[in-house]
Amino acid sequence: MSPARPTVRRPRSLRGRRARSRVMVVLTYLAALLAVLPLVLILGYLLKQGAAALSPDFFTQLPKPPGEAGGGMANAIVGTLVVVGIAAAIGLPIGIGAGMYLAERRDEPLATAVRFLSDVLNGLPSIVVGIFAWEFLVRPAGHFSALAGGAALAAIMIPIVTRTTEEMLRLVPNSLREAALALGYPQWRTSLVVVLRTALPGIVTGALVAVARVAGETAPLLFTAFGNQFWSVELGQPIAALPLQVFTYAISPYDEWHAHAWAGALVLIGIVLVISVAARVATRSRFGTAGE
Amino acid sequence: MSDAVARSALAGGLDPSARARATPPAAASVRIEGSAAGDRIYRGVTTALALCVPLLLLAIAIALGVAAWPALRTAGLSFLTSSEWDATRGTFGAAPALYGTLVSSALAIALATPLALGSAIFLSEFAPRWLRTPAAFLIDLLAAVPSVVYGLWAVFVLLPLLREHVMPFLQNTLHLGSTPLFSGPAYGPSMLAAGLILAVMVLPYVAAVAREVLLAVPRSQREAALALGATRWEMIRDAVLPYARSGIIGGVVLGLGRALGETMAVTMVIGNRHEISSSLFSPGYTMASLVANEFSEATGDLHLSSLMAVGAVLFAVTLVVNAIARYLVWRVSRRGRA
């Protein structure tokens, strides 16, 4: 009996095929290396430039006019926290609620539609969301505001939180739901007390991922929060934000400001990385602390 | 298979009417009445929150459409075909921005796809087990770096590198300066710079989707190929990739969607000039960077409406691109589970 022929397109010697295979495998190694290279380059350069420009003043001082030494981005750091805080306050409840809906009624037509649309929404350019927030909140009010910036970021958070919440709720073992229902728990208490609580670490992860994503967003803030060179935590007024400040300083012609842009970028990426790593840790402990 | 069974069982388990039937009526009639009200409230609240998603999308579409209408009506089709963008004279043609968006994104996808696919194959098939999680984490981190940080790096590292080494090398050493693609003065800010930084930015998205799709290919596919005597590469090429094809294409299209709408990094390196040039060395514009640059200082209603129209076109394009991508990925992951 002759052996079955493998599905090769051209007949080749076994040695030739093996060599070809080895070359292709090595190429995939190289591709992976090349893919990670930019990250190493960017982070390395960022650390070098950013650390040189970072000082305690950076965290406590307001920006100085160009040409004057010193100054910091204290207002932008606080502003980012305020805007992201507003976004979380609006986006998290909506996203988590929508995710609960999707997890519980996964096959209904509305659930399928919402799932698909949140994926589509997630892929929309953030600048489009920014124009939308401008049209709805800035134009009628007549001025830029922290609130409009937060609302724009919330619109970006909602689809992310919705989908991660759904995924996490799906991981909750079915037996747990059935046990709760069998004990006479009504549906809503089963969902809120048993299922949601079990999935909480995972949902926290999703929330953190969404926060990390919007903390670095710049484009939608250009014409909502707008930026501010001074102290402001008023929700109805323009407010400074770290990504905006980095952008403004990066495209300015002053060396002083360029250095500050690097420092700002380092702080920004520090915030994003800390949140991302925290999200990973929260996921990892899911199986350890689930259902405590 | 078992997953699908579990899911349908779950759906049954969560159906309140099925539960009501299963509960002995005499024993818990009071509880059922109370819980029925609670369930109704719970259902109503989660449904309302879920409805926020389609409403949001609808509101975005309507707002952009309404705001863009005056510009589209004034300029007509020439809005998309004319290269003249002059706020003082009130003529608005978005062709250069449309062209720049398409070219920079196409360049990014062409550069990023082989690398993303290669690293996804490496991570799903060849990487030693201890390396898989950290390597996937690193690639995820690339996706988490804010756009403005990429832009900052590109302005101070990528642009000088292009201006002083890469562009002269292409023009003088390789003698490509006379070809339309690489002609003209080498300033740095250019379509090429935008395509390069976009490639770095979309790579992690494409790689993540491709890896996920490859992991959804059943083991039996691989084992069958190996059992027939395929080498490792032949197994990938003939058994794994065809199975995952539509999902991988979906990942690439998803990356394209990201590239089309990416704003900050591109705005910082593309040069921002309303001009269509065949050379990758010359500055250009994209729809997203046009909006970012001019929006907050738009003068006059028509200017503003024209920028809104650019946003609306961008919205429509990315909407279609994303819908296609999601459909393709969804098809593979569904087949993988079944």
Side-chain angles (χ1 to χ4, degrees), chain B residues 123-238:
Chain B
L123 283 180
S124 67
E125 313 285 337
F126 303 136
R129 204 153 286 280
W130 60 266
L131 189 64
R132 292 187 183 192
T133 314
F137 178 61
L138 268 184
I139 292 186
D140 282 352
L141 271 189
L142 266 171
V145 174
S147 171
V148 69
V149 175
Y150 279 109
L152 182 70
W153 179 80
V155 165
F156 291 107
V157 182
L158 185 65
L159 290 186
L161 186 77
L162 284 178
R163 185 173 53 232
E164 279 147 35
H165 300 286
V166 178
M167 287 174 163
F169 174 78
L170 285 170
Q171 286 191 327
N172 304 331
T173 316
L174 295 181
H175 300 292
L176 293 170
S178 54
T179 59
L181 222 48
F182 302 108
S183 61
Y187 295 124
S190 58
M191 203 68 95
L192 181 67
L196 281 172
I197 198 69
L198 277 177
V200 175
M201 295 179 74
V202 299
L203 196 152
Y205 290 103
V206 183
V209 176
R211 186 171 143 263
E212 220 163 279
V213 170
L214 289 177
L215 289 176
V217 175
R219 275 181 69 91
S220 55
Q221 288 281 105
R222 299 185 175 85
E223 286 163 1
L226 291 176
L228 288 171
T231 63
R232 292 220 280 179
W233 171 247
E234 285 162 359
M235 166 194 90
I236 308 269
R237 191 191 62 194
D238 297 326

Side-chain angles (χ1 to χ4, degrees), chain B residues 50-85:
Chain B
L51 279 173
C52 287
V53 173
L55 282 180
L56 182 59
L57 204 58
L58 195 69
I60 294 176
I62 292 175
L64 289 182
V66 168
W69 182 239
L72 292 176
R73 199 186 44 196
T74 310
L77 202 61
S78 77
F79 185 77
L80 294 180
T81 56
S82 160
S83 301
E84 186 104 18
W85 183 282

Side-chain angles (χ1 to χ4, degrees), chain A residues 167-190:
Chain A
E167 295 297 328
M168 293 307 161
L169 289 177
R170 279 188 180 204
L171 291 179
V172 174
N174 227 4
S175 51
L176 212 58
R177 290 184 178 91
E178 281 159 4
L181 291 170
L183 287 172
Y185 257 42
Q187 165 93 60
W188 63 274
R189 280 190 71 183
T190 306

Side-chain angles (χ1 to χ4, degrees), chain A residues 192-239:
Chain A
L192 286 179
V193 180
V194 179
V195 179
L196 196 60
R197 192 145 150 240
T198 310
L200 199 60
I203 293 172
V204 170
T205 304
L208 287 174
V209 167
V211 166
R213 161 96 189 271
V214 300
E217 281 290 352
T218 317
L221 297 181
L222 284 173
F223 22 82
T224 51
F226 193 68
N228 194 331
Q229 288 290 309
F230 308 101
W231 252 134
S232 172
V233 287
E234 268 179 74
L235 301 190
Q237 294 301 317
I239 194 166

